[in-house]
Amino acid sequence: MTGRRTAAPSRPVPSAPAPSRTALDTEEAWELLRTVRTAADAEAAGLLRDTDGAPRWNRDASPGARELADRYLPLCLAGPRLTFAQLGQSLDGFIATRTGDADYVTGEEDRRHLHRLRALADAVVVGAGTAVADDPQLTVRACAGANPVRVVLDPHRRVPPRRKVFTDGSAPTLWVVSADRERGHTTADGDLDAHGCGVEVLTLPDSAAFAPANLVRVLARRGLGRVLIEGGGVTVSRFLSEQALHRLYVTVAPVLLGDGVPGLRFAGTPVMRDALRPPTRRAALGEDTLFELDLGTPRPGPPLDGEHPETWQARGEREHPVHHGDGQPLGSAQPRGPEGPGGGALPGPPAADVQR
């Protein structure tokens, strides 16, 4: 009699491993963010909103990628007309030593942040004091991105024509001067033209035309709607005090200088309860701390050529001064001295920022 053969128990066939998808890294996340200007762009880039409104990627993402989305998506989505500023300073509020040495107040993470802001701007603006003291390049080098147009506010025509912004040819440069000031360098125009480095001289009729709201409008006429005010402290303070900023970024380094070139200075309030306290976000940049201040909607200034005075109101861009509780809106400071965008300075020595 032949015995029955017992079948061996079947073994489960191992399934093929699911294909692994590499988490989104910082560099790829930044490349995607640079393409975002609208909600549709954000969705195409793979950015969604959580129930609490916070942005998140629709795939696995590294901590750095998530951090970039949180920090820069609001700026990316802020629209085609945006004015924002950046300053790096010590704990006691100085952007350089008393000799003007600013090499360097803040660290490498802040430098990378500054270059990312440049990459998200159409134009980057500096005053004559920064152009003279720092000789900055104002280009995007610490991250991927296109160089913005470099704008030098120089009503007195005192910036030497051999500065990098006029000679290196890395990006277009707009040299903004005043027609009612005596030329500081008699050969400056000729020197700039001879270099052929993409420098254009824009002559405004008088110092009053250098008012921040008017400057923003002049740049907008040229298609430069997203404007970064980078330095120095006097120029940033002027835009702040005249309510011409949507956002202000201030990076504070854990260093004490005791004396030096001040950062923000404007006509303040005599009582603490009326101090400016805009909505603020904080983030760590290495050893430094970044503060992002939401200043609301700036004063609109005069209409563009051919634009009806009510156009901004129709777009929902009416004047919206920043308030703190029952306090007063931030008031305008009167310019004093020779350093501001319109030839006037706020109190304190000329500014020399860490603009690398």
Side-chain angles (χ1 to χ4, degrees):
M1 181 174 175
T2 306
R4 291 187 66 181
R5 210 167 179 184
T6 305
S10 60
R11 295 182 180 178
V13 178
S15 58
S20 60
R21 190 176 184 187
T22 305
L24 184 70
D25 63 20
T26 303
E27 288 73 19
E28 187 180 356
W30 174 246
E31 289 287 1
L32 291 169
L33 277 167
R34 290 201 302 119
T35 68
V36 172
R37 289 296 180 272
T38 66
D41 293 338
E43 185 177 353
L47 281 161
L48 307 173
R49 289 281 187 184
D50 279 333
T51 54
D52 62 356
R56 66 176 176 85
W57 298 100
N58 65 356
R59 54 179 282 196
D60 289 340
S62 68
R66 294 194 297 270
E67 188 177 82
L68 285 183
D70 181 65
R71 184 174 303 156
Y72 297 108
L73 185 60
L75 191 62
C76 294
L77 293 175
R81 294 288 298 278
L82 178 73
T83 308
F84 54 108
Q86 159 78 12
L87 280 179
Q89 65 179 42
S90 65
L91 272 173
D92 46 354
F94 298 106
I95 58 178
T97 68
R98 63 176 178 272
T99 64
D101 180 21
D103 191 9
Y104 293 113
V105 176
T106 55
E108 284 302 310
E109 284 298 314
D110 184 50
R111 176 176 180 267
R112 191 172 293 110
H113 163 67
L114 173 61
H115 285 224
R116 285 178 176 140
L117 293 183
R118 290 176 185 170
L120 295 176
D122 299 323
V124 55
V125 175
V126 295
T130 294
V132 171
D134 294 349
D135 193 14
Q137 292 178 260
L138 305 178
T139 54
V140 178
R141 305 182 304 281
C143 67
N147 293 325
V149 174
R150 304 176 292 194
V151 180
V152 180
L153 305 179
D154 188 15
H156 300 283
R157 308 186 189 217
R158 63 188 183 88
V159 179
R162 295 291 174 180
R163 285 298 186 263
K164 292 187 182 75
V165 291
F166 296 146
T167 61
D168 65 12
S170 298
T173 298
L174 191 62
W175 186 40
V176 188
V177 300
S178 176
D180 69 353
R181 300 293 180 181
E182 184 177 349
R183 188 182 308 281
H185 302 283
T186 57
T187 61
D189 285 333
D191 286 347
L192 292 178
D193 292 339
H195 289 312
C197 293
V199 179
E200 179 183 355
V201 180
L202 173 62
T203 303
L204 297 183
D206 50 39
S207 294
F210 281 75
N214 187 65
L215 286 167
V216 170
R217 306 284 278 172
V218 167
L219 295 177
R221 290 191 187 101
R222 294 169 167 264
L224 306 174
R226 295 173 63 90
V227 180
L228 168 61
I229 312 301
E230 189 168 314
V234 169
T235 302
V236 173
S237 295
R238 179 81 181 278
F239 273 76
L240 174 64
S241 69
E242 297 193 17
Q243 300 181 40
L245 293 176
H246 291 87
R247 277 182 173 82
L248 172 63
Y249 296 88
V250 179
T251 304
V252 179
V255 60
L256 296 170
L257 297 181
D259 186 17
V261 179
L264 295 172
R265 291 292 185 273
F266 56 90
T269 173
V271 290
M272 184 62 71
R273 67 179 178 84
D274 289 342
L276 178 63
R277 296 180 188 268
T280 303
R281 299 198 304 166
R282 290 180 295 277
L285 291 179
E287 294 184 349
D288 305 329
T289 302
L290 171 66
F291 294 86
E292 177 188 349
L293 287 70
D294 182 354
L295 300 173
T297 303
R299 294 181 182 275
L304 292 170
D305 294 339
E307 182 180 36
H308 192 275
E310 299 301 318
T311 300
W312 275 36
Q313 281 78 356
R315 290 201 304 260
E317 296 177 353
R318 62 179 58 85
E319 181 180 333
H320 178 64
V322 177
H323 290 264
H324 167 224
D326 296 327
Q328 299 301 312
L330 177 65
S332 298
Q334 294 300 316
R336 295 180 286 275
E339 286 291 324
L346 300 172
D353 283 338
V354 188
Q355 311 303 341
R356 293 164 272 184

